[in-house]
Each structure stands twice: as structure tokens, then as C-alpha cells.
Amino acid sequence: MGAEQERMDEQAGAGANWLKWGPYLSERQWGTVREDYSADGKAWEYLTHEMARSKAYRWGEDGIGGWSDEQQQLCMALALWNEKDPILKERLFGLTNGEGNHGEDVKELYYYLDNTPTHSYQKMLYKYPCNAYPYAQLVEENKKRSRQEGEFELMDTGIFQDDAYFDVFIEYAKATPEDILIRYTVYNRSGEAADLHLLPQLWFRNTWRCEPDTPQPLIKQAGKNTLFLQANGLGNYSCYAAQDAPILFTNNETNNQRLYGSANDELYVKDGINDRVVQGNQQAVDPGGSGTKAAFWYKLHLLPGEKKILQLRISDNTLDNPFEHFETIFSKRLQEADLFYETKQTGMEDEDLRMIQRQAWAGLLWNKQYYGYDVNRWLQGDPGQPAPSPERMRGRNNHWRHFVSQGIIAMPDKWEYPWFAAWDLAFQCIALAGIDPRFAKNQLLLLLQVNYQHPNGQLPAYEWDFSDVNPPVHALAAWHVYKLDKAAHGKADGSFLQEVFQKLLLNFTWWVNRKDSEGNNIFEGGFLGLDNIGIFNRSAPVPGGGHLEQADGSSWMAMYALNMMQIAMELSLHNPVYESMAIKFSEHFLFIAGSITHMGEDFVGLWDEKDGFYYDLLRKPGGDWDRLRLRSLVGLIPLYAAIVFDEAKWTNLPLLTQRMDQLKMLRPDLAALVSNWKDKKGNEQHLLSLLRGHRMKLLLKRMLDPAEFLSDHGIRSLSKIYQDQPYVYWLNGMDLTVRYEPGESGSTMFGGNSNWRGPIWMPLNFLLIEALYTFHEYYTDEFRVEYPTGSGQYLSLAEIAQALCQRVRSLFTRNEQGERPLFGGEDKFNKDQHFKDYILFYEYFHGDSGKGLGASHQTGWTALITALIKP
């Protein structure tokens, strides 16, 4: 079984709490909605990076390679100083949405290298320049650049020229759930000697200011190189340092004097350690040896190529010799991590693919974060604190006063997206289920709890606007996770499936009531996570009036109905009550299918037979309509609406089969639109899908055409035909143009920090590949499609799915030139031994070259590569 799996089972069995401590610090708490108490909701401006070192946060904490307990009372992270920067490097720097020419963007180099589900071992790397960090240059140069130009990155500044940087490896290992070992390994990669100040910091999150009755915690010196840490409810801990160092003390309190020109509440404040180290201000820290924030201050002198190691240990026990078996414990935990991943990668012989997959899983686990946010409390303000502006009560998230979060959530990217997004989380759970299905199940259930899900059934989208709408993929994720969990543990978790199903009934009803404005089973939904894919902002009213009937909104709902039907069928095998729900969702699916094909008195559908493609339909105020003939991923999403089920399950649900037979006779018009579910092919499989073979082949002809969607690295989000011939639509005197943009967005729509007009996106490629495998289960090898279009080569759908897997994998693997396409041709990343095997998992990828774009640590949904490496 292995020690790591035993720890996971112990955790699941309500034994020792191996998850009490973990990588739960954000990488950016500043600039978030949670910390924004402004009247106008300008979160990026209310609390900036420049303010962050002096401002005590309200709802969470951030740091480099940080850890905390699961309620984020006690935090630990690393600070660095190269004697040339104007400030301590305590947190990662990046541009705000208004500063970047393509929105917010972290400007640091760091890598998540390893992690296990219980965080018994984990490792990351931060690359810190020897010379002054180019803060101003990054801001100014990006400010000069237009949206049509590339982003100015840290590597472009020349700061890593001549290898003038430190590699700082940060590792954690757990001896017990409450005994944590920390190891910092520093390399001087430059050709000259260099000085580095390394400060492991510990502090308590400031909860006592907003909760006046809460006892203030304490950190104090308890002997040489030893700290005593005490907090009500958390318990007592000792922190030991193996190497001698002075210890600096201050308090995690806001420096009001620096930020606002008013008096401080405490003499020693949050930025006191920064001021002591960088400015030499000895009065900035408490000489009494106590406070709520402390740091060991190491001054290292490293010769060219030299390595130095520092060791710390935090334990709930008093240890007489804390470092006696330190390296032995670390070695053992690393061996156990290796064994754990060997069991997950059985049969995988390609070492490079194993490394990519393991780093992707590591990123998923490192991206866990404590997410604290009480919307009602946030709107009203805290006792004893200044009252927020009255405008806030009518502002962001004011309809979500029930929302309270105080737990660990898997984030998409802890710097660019240090907040959950509903559909991101669903995809993350699919990837997480490959190593920790229990955590994946708990995450899916989390958003369905009463303090998250709205009383009307809506799931919260993301903190910038909980009321926005993400595609309804929760049921899809639940079904995937259920199957992966069943395969991992040899038994089905029916309770999980039932709970998910019951809560999603509310959500499905919300969709029907709120997003089907005409009651005709055609859904709008808004932007649905695809940001700028439309010709106008799909979350705003249509310019000039009318409404948009969306091919993706309706297809997502058809998929949702099938997912719910699939779950109900599974539950029906053990509880006949659910069979009626399977009937309900089968009928809803058929009605959606009928509406997609012919709607309203004019019987106009979303399918265009001439083009062999699905398009959005614009209904104008006067009753006229226009089909928006823009070929994008929107028109491929109907492929997702497909499920297969075997003959045994079909025959064991007589009421369902009887009702489906009745529908076929009563509504042959609907039955003719979808796959013939009565037929069984291959391994006794039945198929229920929006598409019959003819339409599927027409869609695939477009999708698999290199001149349209098929790139060397996956399926593009927009047809390449619009590169030379942009799509133009005239609406109420406006010239609306969409052109193929394979890289960053030239549009400011939705902040302009992502682009759906050409790039390759992992989650939708994953769903397309899954759909092809699903169709193949029914159609078998006999059904063959030309791949690529125009090649004269015909493959089965499974062979095409596998070929697409290979294309997507090629984003990360070395090509014939020995380069990884995601690095965008950058020599340093591709050829330097200290860079070339450290993988970044970008938010999306250039539609032609495969270069990584957007958020650089999106081992949120981009971690789905783990499923495509070994499908």
C-alpha cells in the first residue's frame, strides 16, 4: 500500500489529522476582492503590492513557499534580501490588471516540483536575482506596450544574464501531523561570490483586531535558536533552528503612519523586520524578544556555485535534540513520495512524461489555499473598526450575504487567481482524483454546502462576481470523480453521488428558471467562462436590444441533463426512487435537443446544414433573427453532450426504457434528432447524444482541419480562417470584428487577461478528447473519419482521440529540436540545465506555436494534462 496511502486512509478514517498543516498561504492576498473595503470596488488600487508589507490583512495571508494550519492562524514563509533591493522579498511581485498590457501577471520565476496528498513531503524552487529586482522596469516597459505586443517578462529584463541569481529550494516534511521539518537549500548560480539574507518568518494572522474578545497570540524566544508559539485554539508549538541566527520580533499590525499618516496602534508593526534588515533601523523591532511576528535572520556569503543548507523544525512537542534524525526523516518521506507516484504511474516508461505528470500533480497540491470570506461581515464591517462606505451595501456580491468560507480550497493559480472559480474547480477535481479522490469529492461537495450555494440554487462563480455564470460542469466532474474513486478503492461511494445529485437538482432548476428566458429550452447564460469568444460581451445586454440564443449555453445544458441522467441511472440500480429522475432528465435532454434544432414559430435552429456547424442565434427586438456565422469552440461544444451505458444497466431500468419507448412513438420528431439509443453496438453499449453520425462527421471535418481548428498542439478556440479574413458583423451601426488571435488578447473584454479567439485551452480539449472516446465506445472501430481533414487518412474515433492526446502532450515534451513548445523558443528555458526540466503549466497556449500564455502556474485546469498523459 505504501506509507503515503496509509496516511491518506488514516486521515479519511478520522484518525490523525495529516492535513492540519499544508501549503495553505496564498501567493497574493493584496489586490483581492476580500481585502477591498473601498466604496468603488477598485480592489487592485485599494491594497497594492507597495502597501502589502505594511498592511495587516483581514481575511488571509500570503508569502513565498508558505505554510499554515488549516484555519490559517499560524503562518510561515520565506523572505529574502540580496542587499540591493529596496525591500525584502516577502511576497511575489506582479503587475495589476491596469498595469499589464494583457491584464494582471506575476513577474517571478518559481516552480512547484513535488508534493504528496498529505503534504508529508513537498518541494518548490524560487529563483532570486543577485542584482536589484527590476520592479520599476517591469511596470514602465509593460505600460508602454500595446495589446498587440507581447508581454515584457522578467527574463526579458536581462536580470538572469550571466546566471547572476540564487536557486532557493524550499522543502517540507512531516515527522508526524504536528511535527514539521523545513529545509532551505540555496545555490549561488553566478560566477561571482554573492551575499544573501535569508529570513524564515513566522507570524499569526491578525484576527484579534476584528474579533476584540479573541486573546492575542504570542511568539517569544525560548532559548538559543528557539521560539515558543502560543495561540488560543491552536495550541502551543516550538520552532527550532539548527544554525545560529539572531531572531527579530515585531507585530502583525498595520503601519498606519506609513500608509495613512495616522498614529499606529502598536509600536512595532508588520514591516518592522523589513525596516530593520533593509534600512538598518534597530528601533523597528522589539528588543524584548516577543511579538506576533518573528524571523530568524541568516546572512549568507556564497562563493560561485556554492550550496548552503538551513534547517528548521516546528513541533507541538518539546524536543531535546530536534535535528538528530532530521535528514533521515526527509529521506524517508521522499522515498515514500517516490513509491506513491510509482503506483500512480505504473506502466509509464517515458521518464519525461512521468516528470511532467508529477510536477502537474505537485502544482495542484501546492495550489491549495485557505480561503476566508464572510460576505455579510465584509459588507457591514468589523466591530470596533471604521464603518465601510454605504455604497458597498449595493455593490459587489451584496446578494450573497449567506456566503461564508473558512476552509481549504484548490485554487486555479495562487497569484493570478487566488480565489476559486466554479468551473475551474470542477476540472481541478478531475485531475486531483487521479491521486486523491477523497479530497476531490470533498471539494465538489464544498461548493454545494448551504454557506456557498445560493438559496436559489446558483453556484458562486468567483469572488469578483459570485452572480456571474460559469458552464455547468459540476455534474460532469462528480461523475468522473465517482468513477475514479471507485476504481481506486474498489467500491462505489453512493453517498457522495446522492449528495451531489440532490444539491445539483437545485442548481439545474436555477438554470432552467433563470437562463431560459423564453421558456423554450434554449439557454443564454452570458459569457460562460469563454470571456471574449463572442462578437460582443455576452454577459452584457445585446447592443440595441434583443437576446442571444447560445449554442454553447444550450449544449452545456444538454450535457448537464445527460450527466444528471447518468448519475440517476447509477443510483437507480441501488434505489429505485431515482429511476423517475433518470426519466425526467432524459426527457429534458430531448426537449433541449429539439429546441437546438428548431425553435419558435419560424423553426430556426442553431444547426446550419450548409456549413455543417452550430452557431449562436441573435433574436432582434422586431422579431427578425440573424445566425452569427462565427466558427469557434462554441459550435463544437454539442459534441460534449454524449453518454454511453451498457445493456445490463438499460435492462435493469424498465420504467426508463418503457418511457423512452413511449417518447419515441409520441415524439418521433425529437427521437430523430438524437442518436438512436435503442441500438446497441460494440460491447453492448447504448448511446445518447445530441449528434448522430452525419452531423458528427460534419463537425469533425471542421475540427480536424489544420486550416481551421486543428493545430500541432491541440484544438484551437477559434477557426484560423479568420486570420486573413476576419469575421465582420454590422449591428446598429457598429462594425463588430473578430479575427484569429493565436496569442494574447487584443481586446479589453473581461480585463483582457485571457483570450478565446485562437489559443488552445486544456479543459475544452480534454472534453473533446473524452467525447471522442465516448462515441468510440458505441461506434467501435468501424466508424472512421478523415484525420487530418484533407489527408486521405481515415482513423477510428479512439485513434483520433489518442492522436489529439499526443498533440496536447507535445506542448510540454521536447520536440525534434530538443525544445518544449510551451517555453516559446526561449533558449534559457530550453537549454539551461537549471531551467529546462522545470515545467510551467500555463492557463492557455498559443494556437500555432504552443507557447504558454496567461497565468503561469495554472495547475488548476491545465493539470488535466495528467489525465491525457495516461488516458
Side-chain angles (χ1 to χ4, degrees):
M1 177 184 291
E4 176 63 13
Q5 188 60 55
E6 290 176 359
R7 286 188 285 268
M8 294 170 68
D9 292 342
E10 187 178 5
Q11 175 78 29
N17 185 5
W18 284 96
L19 294 178
K20 180 174 181 178
W21 296 91
Y24 306 144
L25 254 67
S26 176
E27 280 157 2
R28 179 176 60 80
Q29 187 70 12
W30 59 273
T32 61
V33 167
R34 308 186 292 290
E35 299 295 337
D36 176 26
Y37 282 81
S38 67
D40 55 14
K42 294 181 179 179
W44 286 108
E45 299 173 14
Y46 181 78
L47 179 49
T48 66
H49 178 270
E50 176 63 20
M51 300 170 66
R53 69 178 181 272
S54 304
K55 174 76 172 176
Y57 296 132
R58 169 62 179 88
W59 296 100
E61 295 289 338
D62 58 19
I64 298 173
W67 262 43
S68 78
D69 64 278
E70 58 194 348
Q71 287 300 300
Q72 203 152 103
Q73 291 179 268
L74 177 58
C75 309
M76 60 195 87
L78 185 63
L80 302 161
W81 187 49
N82 56 18
E83 298 190 346
K84 296 173 184 175
D85 281 348
I87 57 173
L88 276 181
K89 178 66 72 172
E90 292 182 281
R91 56 189 49 80
L92 300 175
F93 173 75
L95 304 182
T96 69
N97 184 268
E99 291 173 332
N101 60 327
H102 297 113
E104 62 267 31
D105 188 33
V106 68
K107 300 298 183 184
E108 304 272 12
L109 285 178
Y110 58 105
Y111 304 87
Y112 303 128
L113 300 180
D114 212 353
N115 209 328
T116 60
T118 64
H119 313 301
S120 58
Y121 176 77
Q122 62 182 81
K123 179 180 183 180
M124 73 164 285
L125 166 64
Y126 176 69
K127 290 181 177 285
Y128 184 49
C130 296
N131 296 313
Y133 192 89
Y135 292 105
Q137 184 184 7
L138 287 164
V139 173
E140 292 304 317
E141 183 59 33
N142 278 284
K143 187 185 297 184
K144 295 175 187 176
R145 297 195 175 194
S146 70
R147 289 192 172 274
Q148 284 64 48
E149 295 177 275
E151 296 177 0
F152 186 66
E153 302 292 3
L154 184 60
M155 187 65 74
D156 299 328
T157 67
I159 195 71
F160 290 98
Q161 190 173 345
D162 301 323
D163 295 327
Y165 68 93
F166 302 100
D167 266 343
V168 184
F169 290 91
I170 303 168
E171 295 174 278
Y172 294 88
K174 293 181 183 178
T176 72
E178 300 265 34
D179 189 355
I180 302 156
L181 287 64
I182 310 168
R183 182 168 65 191
Y184 302 110
T185 305
V186 182
Y187 292 86
N188 177 10
R189 298 298 187 194
S190 75
E192 298 180 1
D195 294 317
L196 175 67
H197 297 239
L198 188 148
L199 295 93
Q201 298 194 99
L202 298 98
W203 70 98
F204 286 104
R205 180 165 65 94
N206 191 330
T207 57
W208 53 92
R209 286 290 170 190
C210 56
E211 300 287 354
D213 296 330
T214 300
Q216 187 165 313
L218 176 68
I219 305 175
K220 67 178 182 179
Q221 189 153 2
K224 184 179 181 181
N225 301 330
T226 303
L227 293 173
F228 177 74
L229 306 104
Q230 183 180 46
N232 188 50
L234 182 65
N236 299 333
Y237 292 84
S238 296
C239 179
Y240 307 93
Q243 292 76 26
D244 293 345
I247 306 176
L248 306 178
F249 293 89
T250 188
N251 291 304
N252 187 17
E253 298 277 3
T254 297
N255 187 342
N256 294 315
Q257 180 64 45
R258 175 179 179 262
L259 296 180
Y260 312 116
S262 58
N264 287 332
D265 297 322
E266 297 281 349
L267 180 60
Y268 304 105
V269 290
K270 181 177 177 180
D271 53 15
I273 293 173
N274 173 88
D275 292 354
R276 172 65 185 93
V277 174
V278 178
Q279 300 174 12
N281 183 0
Q282 297 188 23
Q283 282 70 48
V285 293
D286 189 346
S290 67
T292 53
K293 180 179 179 180
F296 294 94
W297 185 8
Y298 291 99
K299 304 173 187 179
L300 307 179
H301 180 75
L302 292 98
L303 299 175
E306 187 178 5
K307 173 182 79 171
K308 289 191 176 181
I309 298 175
L310 300 175
Q311 302 163 320
L312 276 77
R313 187 167 185 171
I314 299 174
S315 179
D316 62 341
N317 291 319
T318 302
L319 304 176
D320 295 329
N321 193 348
F323 299 99
E324 183 177 9
H325 302 294
F326 187 93
E327 292 299 330
T328 301
I329 295 170
F330 250 106
S331 296
K332 184 178 180 182
R333 292 294 178 264
L334 178 55
Q335 291 171 4
E336 292 165 356
D338 290 341
L339 177 60
F340 175 78
Y341 282 110
E342 281 180 16
T343 63
K344 302 301 177 185
Q345 296 178 328
T346 302
M348 288 177 58
E349 297 181 1
D350 189 312
E351 286 298 322
D352 196 51
L353 285 177
R354 291 166 67 95
M355 178 194 72
I356 293 166
Q357 187 181 52
R358 184 161 170 174
Q359 287 188 31
W361 275 324
L364 265 178
L365 297 171
W366 269 99
N367 268 331
K368 289 184 183 181
Q369 178 186 309
Y370 171 80
Y371 187 81
Y373 188 23
D374 180 334
V375 172
N376 189 54
R377 184 76 173 269
W378 176 74
L379 289 170
Q380 293 184 339
D382 294 316
Q385 300 298 310
S389 302
E391 292 91 341
R392 287 168 53 78
M393 304 303 287
R394 301 185 298 274
R396 181 176 285 130
N397 295 332
N398 70 86
H399 297 298
W400 291 79
R401 292 170 184 256
H402 72 287
F403 184 96
V404 180
S405 175
Q406 294 177 318
I408 306 303
I409 306 181
M411 298 295 154
D413 179 312
K414 288 201 296 188
W415 195 95
E416 296 218 16
Y417 304 112
W419 33 262
F420 71 87
W423 78 313
D424 293 61
L425 185 60
F427 288 118
Q428 288 168 254
C429 288
I430 295 173
L432 277 164
I435 51 171
D436 193 354
R438 292 190 184 102
F439 181 72
K441 289 187 294 183
N442 290 337
Q443 290 288 282
L444 288 171
L445 290 171
L446 187 69
L447 290 197
L448 300 174
Q449 292 180 1
V450 293
N451 51 313
Y452 286 81
Q453 187 175 19
H454 198 281
N456 65 17
Q458 185 179 9
L459 298 184
Y462 48 89
E463 69 173 29
W464 288 92
D465 186 357
F466 280 150
S467 294
D468 217 329
V469 183
N470 282 175
V473 293
H474 222 74
L476 168 93
W479 179 249
H480 273 75
V481 170
Y482 168 79
K483 291 192 297 180
L484 288 166
D485 178 56
K486 183 178 179 180
H489 295 105
K491 59 181 180 179
D493 189 350
S495 296
F496 160 74
L497 208 57
Q498 286 186 64
E499 187 172 355
V500 167
F501 184 82
Q502 297 293 342
K503 297 293 182 66
L504 287 180
L505 285 175
L506 298 175
N507 182 247
F508 191 93
T509 302
W510 174 84
W511 271 90
V512 171
N513 290 339
R514 296 296 183 93
K515 292 300 175 181
D516 178 12
S517 64
E518 300 296 318
N520 61 1
N521 293 301
I522 289 295
F523 295 83
E524 294 105 47
F527 89 115
L528 288 172
L530 306 187
D531 292 19
N532 64 342
I533 203 166
I535 65 172
F536 45 73
N537 186 344
R538 301 193 304 168
S539 280
V542 175
H547 67 273
L548 191 67
E549 294 179 335
Q550 297 178 211
D552 55 339
S554 302
S555 301
W556 285 122
M557 283 303 292
M559 184 192 79
Y560 195 178
L562 285 180
N563 296 148
M564 293 293 279
M565 176 186 175
Q566 199 169 32
I567 292 172
M569 290 172 71
E570 180 78 4
L571 294 173
S572 298
L573 299 178
H574 309 284
N575 186 344
V577 169
Y578 286 96
E579 192 168 1
S580 63
M581 298 307 298
I583 294 171
K584 175 257 191 300
F585 283 108
S586 67
E587 294 188 10
H588 213 123
F589 165 73
L590 288 174
F591 293 141
I592 295 172
S595 296
I596 288 175
T597 303
H598 44 73
M599 305 171 295
E601 297 178 358
D602 46 17
F603 292 99
V604 178
L606 304 182
W607 173 258
D608 186 272
E609 187 65 31
K610 177 183 177 183
D611 287 359
F613 210 76
Y614 286 96
Y615 296 117
D616 287 347
L617 199 75
L618 178 60
R619 294 279 184 179
K620 298 182 178 181
D624 293 337
W625 56 269
D626 264 346
R627 189 171 279 144
L628 304 180
R629 297 176 181 274
L630 176 66
R631 287 202 287 280
S632 72
L633 265 176
V634 165
L636 298 177
I637 289 174
L639 287 164
Y640 301 161
I643 62 171
V644 290
F645 41 92
D646 58 32
E647 175 69 9
K649 183 173 288 188
W650 183 247
T651 55
N652 280 326
L653 299 173
L655 297 179
L656 174 62
T657 56
Q658 180 182 347
R659 179 55 181 163
M660 295 287 280
D661 286 343
Q662 289 175 348
L663 276 172
K664 193 167 186 177
M665 291 186 293
L666 295 172
R667 293 295 305 273
D669 57 321
L670 294 181
L673 298 174
V674 301
S675 59
N676 189 349
W677 63 82
K678 288 279 289 183
D679 289 344
K680 60 178 187 284
K681 293 186 178 181
N683 189 24
E684 298 285 290
Q685 297 293 312
H686 296 266
L687 172 71
L688 198 54
S689 162
L690 276 181
L691 303 172
R692 288 197 168 190
H694 169 68
R695 285 190 179 179
M696 181 172 61
K697 283 188 174 182
L698 290 176
L699 273 184
L700 292 180
K701 183 178 180 180
R702 299 284 190 189
M703 188 180 94
L704 303 177
D705 186 347
E708 293 219 36
F709 290 97
L710 183 65
S711 82
D712 290 342
H713 307 292
I715 302 301
R716 304 179 178 105
S717 49
L718 187 75
S719 173
K720 194 174 181 178
I721 63 169
Y722 304 116
Q723 183 174 44
D724 298 324
Q725 299 176 324
Y727 178 83
V728 180
Y729 184 77
W730 287 87
L731 179 64
N732 297 315
M734 293 185 294
D735 178 357
L736 302 173
T737 301
V738 175
R739 57 175 44 87
Y740 174 72
E741 297 177 316
E744 299 280 8
S745 173
S747 165
T748 59
M749 200 181 297
F750 289 93
N753 64 336
S754 65
N755 183 24
W756 290 84
R757 293 181 175 181
I760 299 156
W761 289 79
M762 185 67 68
L764 299 196
N765 271 263
F766 170 81
L767 291 179
L768 287 170
I769 291 168
E770 285 279 298
L772 291 174
Y773 278 124
T774 298
F775 281 118
H776 180 265
E777 285 188 61
Y778 175 76
Y779 283 111
T780 72
D781 288 341
E782 298 176 4
F783 190 95
R784 306 184 79 77
V785 174
E786 189 177 25
Y787 174 86
T789 300
S791 67
Q793 172 182 263
Y794 287 80
L795 302 179
S796 71
L797 296 178
E799 289 171 330
I800 294 172
Q802 185 58 40
L804 289 178
C805 280
Q806 182 61 39
R807 288 183 183 240
V808 176
R809 287 197 296 262
S810 74
L811 289 164
F812 303 92
T813 57
R814 295 189 185 92
N815 57 23
E816 293 178 355
Q817 291 74 41
E819 299 181 350
R820 303 183 192 274
L822 73 103
F823 289 148
E826 173 62 54
D827 278 351
K828 191 77 170 175
F829 292 146
N830 278 308
K831 298 175 182 177
D832 191 299
Q833 63 174 326
H834 301 305
F835 282 85
K836 62 187 179 70
D837 289 333
Y838 300 141
I839 309 301
L840 292 173
F841 297 88
Y842 286 90
E843 184 180 4
Y844 56 101
F845 302 87
H846 193 284
D848 297 330
S849 70
K851 179 183 178 181
L853 301 167
S856 55
H857 293 74
Q858 241 282 14
T859 34
W861 61 25
T862 301
L864 286 168
I865 188 61
T866 59
L868 300 183
I869 283 176
K870 188 181 179 183

